[in-house]
């Protein structure tokens, strides 16, 4: 039998094991925040990899602020040497999940199987993807097909909160590097027939308006910081929003509406606490946190300058109000280079397994690709994995078992193709 057919056969034979590993992963509630149960989840992945002939290493990101004895940031990475010299491939999945939230009709951490789907928090984002990566590697081994290049699989922490103690940490210490593995696939849930080639940029900032306190019965004697903030919010809606709506990226972001630049207010607080005892006072302080997503065609500098000018112009006309702007997080957009071998290998594997052409998409949000690209210096990185992105972070999050099995085949064939290339 041809190598490819042997690998596909081994994936089909392993279908029950793939389902079992996904369910076992879901049953460990690795909720972030705060970062529960990372160690037991990393061990589960590590023990499975060890059974599959990987050398397994646990890397604790203990230099990071979020690491604590109660919530240790434990990453796992498995390495399997190739038969001779071929390019290395790294498959990476994050082990953290967001809190379950309300609205579930089943236990979110039971790993329920119903109507050909696994249901639970983190099934699609992205424990099914991690299980697919583990069994893609195992199907190659069981098939007896020799993989020329090095193969690495990592389970990493904190992707949902920025990935700094996860992929970023492994890249900073040189454990993930282009010289080891020039190709990376992240099985995030972008659907079984789509390849995700990057994401928009992120600029989170905090704006504080400061006014003048006065007796609330004579507000004309003070300057309200809340009024100042509301002027800024109004200017964002009436002046900035139409400009942002007019900018459309050439990147194939899905959903379509996210091809435009966007801004969101994450939170707002001002004046005295609404729940506390009330006193008649003009608010002398108001703070808000904003989430601006910028396009590949916009630079961070222009994005920030535009906001600084808008806020400055708006508040210049308001007597008694000053303000302060603080950058909280900046992530530049990333895009896999056109014609990257990792896109070609996955597109070929999708055609073979599903009989259809792959669709290239990009993500409205951000994920760990930025750390692979910027810190590890690996441009040839994409996200490809089972599950529908729309179900991520939702109640009754689920993933079709057929998609998990197909994605496993696609990842296995693409890995073989990449590790055999020169
Ligand atoms: Zn994810």
């Amino acid at each position: 039998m041809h190598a490819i057919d042997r690998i596909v056969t081994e994936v089909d034979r392993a279908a029950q094991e793939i389902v079992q590993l996904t369910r076992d992963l879901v049953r460990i509630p690795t909720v972030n925040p705060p970062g529960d149960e990372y160690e037991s989840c990393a061990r589960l992945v590590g023990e499975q990899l060890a059974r599959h002939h990987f050398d397994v290493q646990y890397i604790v990101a203990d230099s990071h602020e979020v690491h604590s004895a109660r919530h240790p940031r434990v990453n796992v990475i498995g390495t399997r040497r190739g038969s001779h010299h071929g390019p290395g491939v790294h498959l990476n999945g994050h082990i953290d999940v967001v809190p379950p939230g309300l609205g579930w009709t089943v236990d979110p951490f039971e790993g329920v199987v119903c109507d050909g789907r696994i249901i639970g928090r983190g099934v699609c984002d992205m424990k099914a993807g991690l299980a697919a990566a583990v069994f893609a590697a195992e199907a190659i081994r069981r098939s007896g097909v020799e993989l020329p290049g090095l193969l690495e699989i990592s389970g990493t922490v904190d992707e949902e909160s920025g990935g700094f103690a996860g992929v970023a940490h492994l890249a900073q210490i040189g454990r993930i590097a282009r010289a080891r593995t020039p190709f990376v696939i992240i099985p995030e849930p972008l659907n079984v027939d789509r390849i995700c080639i990057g994401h928009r940029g992120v600029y989170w900032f905090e704006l504080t308006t400061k006014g003048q306190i006065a007796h609330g019965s004579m507000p004309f004697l003070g300057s309200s910081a809340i009024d100042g903030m509301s002027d800024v919010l109004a200017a964002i809606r009436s002046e900035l929003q139409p400009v942002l709506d007019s900018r459309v990226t050439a990147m194939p972001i899905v959903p379509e509406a996210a091809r435009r630049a966007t801004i969101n207010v994450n939170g707002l607080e001002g004046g005295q606490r609404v729940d506390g005892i009330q006193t008649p006072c003009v608010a002398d302080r108001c703070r808000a946190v904003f989430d601006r997503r910028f396009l590949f065609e916009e630079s961070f500098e222009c994005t920030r300058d535009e906001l600084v000018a808008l806020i400055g112009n708006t508040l210049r006309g308001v007597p008694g109000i000053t303000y302060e702007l603080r950058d909280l997080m900046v992530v530049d957009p990333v895009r896999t280079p056109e014609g990257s071998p990792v896109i070609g290998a996955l597109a070929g594997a999708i055609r073979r397994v599903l009989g259809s052409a792959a669709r290239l998409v990009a993500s409205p949000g951000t994920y760990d690709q930025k750390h692979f690209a910027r810190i590890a210096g690996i441009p040839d990185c994409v996200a490809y994995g089972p599950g529908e992105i729309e179900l991520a972070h939702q109640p009754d999050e689920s993933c079709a078992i057929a998609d998990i099995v197909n994605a496993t085949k696609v990842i296995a064939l693409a890995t073989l193709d990449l590790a055999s290339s020169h």
Side-chain angles (χ1 to χ4, degrees):
M1 219 189 327
H2 195 272
I4 286 171
D5 298 322
R6 273 162 40 209
I7 291 170
V8 166
T9 302
E10 289 301 337
V11 174
D12 281 324
R13 276 194 193 136
Q16 269 319 309
E17 293 173 85
I18 304 171
V19 169
Q20 193 57 48
L21 177 58
T22 307
R23 298 178 71 193
D24 290 345
L25 288 168
V26 170
R27 287 188 183 130
I28 303 175
T30 45
V31 175
N32 179 26
D36 288 328
E37 307 285 343
Y38 283 169
E39 180 148 28
S40 40
C41 194
R43 297 263 164 212
L44 177 73
V45 174
E47 282 155 21
Q48 187 88 31
L49 289 174
R51 281 197 292 278
H52 296 176
H53 299 219
F54 278 83
D55 295 325
V56 176
Q57 198 184 353
Y58 297 94
I59 298 175
V60 184
D62 51 11
S63 56
H64 287 254
E65 214 172 66
V66 285
H67 168 88
S68 66
R70 202 161 153 232
H71 295 114
R73 269 39 199 177
V74 184
N75 299 283
V76 59
I77 183 161
T79 306
R80 209 164 69 194
R81 309 241 147 250
S83 56
H84 39 289
H85 285 302
V89 178
H90 190 108
L91 308 175
N92 162 261
H94 63 85
I95 59 172
D96 58 320
V97 303
V98 294
L102 302 174
W104 287 79
T105 61
V106 299
D107 183 333
F109 298 110
E110 191 52 50
V112 174
V113 174
C114 182
D115 291 335
R117 301 181 75 90
I118 309 174
I119 311 167
R121 173 52 82 228
V123 172
C124 95
D125 188 9
M126 58 173 288
K127 288 175 168 175
L130 184 53
V134 169
F135 275 93
E138 178 62 357
I140 296 172
R141 191 186 69 84
R142 289 180 187 174
S143 73
V145 174
E146 289 199 335
L147 206 60
L150 176 83
L151 181 56
E152 289 191 325
I153 298 181
S154 59
T156 49
V157 303
D158 285 355
E159 187 275 344
E160 298 290 359
S161 52
F164 302 105
V167 171
H169 180 77
L170 298 184
Q172 268 149 6
I173 63 169
R175 189 59 187 80
I176 294 173
R178 189 178 189 180
R180 295 176 66 86
T181 54
F183 302 122
V184 176
I185 300 170
I186 309 172
E188 286 272 9
L190 271 308
N191 288 13
V192 70
D193 60 344
R194 305 197 299 190
I195 303 166
C196 181
I197 56 165
H199 55 71
R200 299 189 298 179
V202 185
Y203 174 39
W204 282 12
F205 64 95
E206 181 189 278
L207 176 68
T208 305
T209 51
K210 296 171 191 171
Q212 172 70 50
I213 195 166
H215 199 290
S217 69
M218 297 169 283
F220 44 82
L221 295 180
S223 305
S224 168
I226 294 176
D227 287 352
M229 184 65 78
S230 71
D231 287 347
V232 172
L233 295 175
I236 286 174
R237 259 202 319 278
S238 65
E239 292 171 43
L240 182 62
Q241 191 69 60
V243 177
L244 299 188
D245 285 344
S246 72
R247 294 182 192 151
V248 183
T249 180
M251 270 179 90
I253 311 265
V254 285
E256 180 75 23
R259 287 184 62 189
R260 294 164 201 283
T262 56
I263 189 164
N264 179 58
V265 189
N266 283 5
L268 178 70
E269 59 185 48
Q272 52 197 309
R273 281 189 36 156
V274 171
D275 290 335
I277 296 169
Q278 299 300 308
T279 57
C281 285
V282 172
D284 60 355
R285 210 174 163 78
C286 185
R287 291 196 303 160
V289 172
F290 295 83
D291 176 354
R292 168 83 160 84
R293 300 296 170 125
F294 58 103
L295 310 178
F296 205 86
E297 293 83 353
E298 300 178 290
S299 71
F300 167 64
E301 288 69 31
C302 294
T303 298
R304 192 178 190 281
D305 288 351
E306 185 175 48
L307 282 157
V308 167
L310 181 88
I311 295 164
N313 290 341
T314 305
L315 294 179
R316 195 165 299 128
V318 186
I321 301 291
T322 58
Y323 69 93
E324 228 176 75
L325 189 141
R326 195 160 67 90
D327 296 348
L328 298 180
M329 180 167 71
V330 180
V331 176
D332 278 314
V334 290
R335 182 165 59 184
T336 315
E338 236 172 283
S340 165
V342 74
I343 298 174
L346 279 166
I350 288 170
R351 197 173 306 109
R352 190 174 276 271
V353 172
L354 301 170
S356 59
R359 261 182 70 204
L360 295 190
V361 296
S363 169
T366 166
Y367 55 95
D368 280 333
Q369 185 169 349
K370 56 184 177 281
H371 301 312
F372 284 102
R374 301 254 152 68
I375 308 174
I378 307 175
D380 292 310
C381 170
V382 297
Y384 168 81
E388 294 107 309
I389 188 75
E390 295 78 9
L391 299 183
H393 301 201
Q394 298 265 358
D396 287 350
E397 174 182 349
S398 70
C399 187
I401 291 169
D403 284 355
I404 307 174
V405 172
N406 278 331
T408 306
K409 293 176 185 172
V410 170
I411 294 168
L413 299 187
T415 298
L416 176 67
D417 187 353
L418 291 166
S420 315
S421 63
H422 295 285

